[in-house]
Every structure is written in structure tokens, then in C-alpha cells.
Amino acid sequence: MTTVTTTRPRPQALILTPSAEARIAALMAQAPEGAIGVKLSTPRRGCSGLAYSVDYVTEAKPLDERIETPGGTFFVDGASLLYLIGSRMDWVEDDFTAGFVFQNPNAKGSCGCGESFTV
């Protein structure tokens, strides 16, 4: 008896909206020398425990999730993946603010200012 193993494509850890992809392209167009992409991580800080942090990255870590966008490579920190699976990342601008906005199904709560979340 032969056992056949089929693998299916792994879903993306994070869904980027077209607006978020355009912002990544704009960031990469003005990236400092040596930057290979933009990276999302969830460091421990803020009222609720975890915060979203987006920064330039100069090297790829083996466990980082890599998402190719039209404007450059977007990385998701390997240690943050479990907190972000199924999330949607958008770039929103209005008259007074501009920033990345996250819809995270794993977040059980967030602080009043929206800067941090808990799982």
C-alpha cells in the first residue's frame, strides 16, 4: 500500500490591502541604504501588552514570513506570526492622521487609544 501525501498551499499569514501595498512601495522608494524590505512585528509594549511595529529591515531572518508585493518585500516577524494569522493590514489616511490599521481576529482586546492589543 502506497501512501500519497498531498500538500496544499499555505495561506498567507497576513492579508495586505492595495492601499497597504502602495504604502509599502512608497516606503521602499525612500528606504535607507541597505534596506531589503519592510517588516511587521509585535513587540511587548503599550497598555494591553502587544503593539504593532512596522520598520525597515536590512536582513531576512529564517523564520520570518516573506510576502512579495509590487513595491517591495514585506516581512512578518516569525515570533509574531501566531498573533497575526488571518489579520488584514490596511493603510488609512484622513485629514488628521495616517497609519497602518489592523483587523486582527486573534486580538481579544485592545487599549482605548488603539495602539496595543492582547491575545
Side-chain angles (χ1 to χ4, degrees):
M1 177 177 196
T2 304
T3 303
V4 177
T5 304
T6 36
T7 57
R8 59 184 169 89
R10 190 173 62 154
Q12 276 187 305
L14 182 75
I15 296 162
L16 300 170
T17 66
S19 181
E21 287 185 347
R23 181 61 183 164
I24 291 165
L27 288 169
M28 288 309 297
Q30 61 187 20
E33 188 175 330
I36 62 166
V38 177
K39 183 176 183 175
L40 171 64
S41 61
T42 56
R44 297 201 175 278
R45 71 172 180 241
C47 317
S48 293
L50 296 170
Y52 300 106
S53 179
V54 180
D55 297 295
Y56 290 110
V57 64
T58 56
E59 75 175 290
K61 304 277 171 121
L63 297 178
D64 287 349
E65 181 83 6
R66 186 182 191 120
I67 301 170
E68 296 300 332
T69 74
T73 306
F74 185 75
F75 295 90
V76 180
D77 177 59
S80 300
L81 281 172
L82 288 177
Y83 307 129
L84 297 169
I85 291 174
S87 294
R88 182 175 177 266
M89 181 175 157
D90 194 11
W91 176 259
V92 177
E93 292 183 43
D94 64 25
D95 290 340
F96 301 103
T97 61
F100 287 109
V101 176
F102 298 88
Q103 292 176 344
N104 186 343
N106 307 296
K108 302 296 182 222
S110 62
C111 65
C113 63
E115 293 293 318
S116 63
F117 68 100
T118 185
V119 290

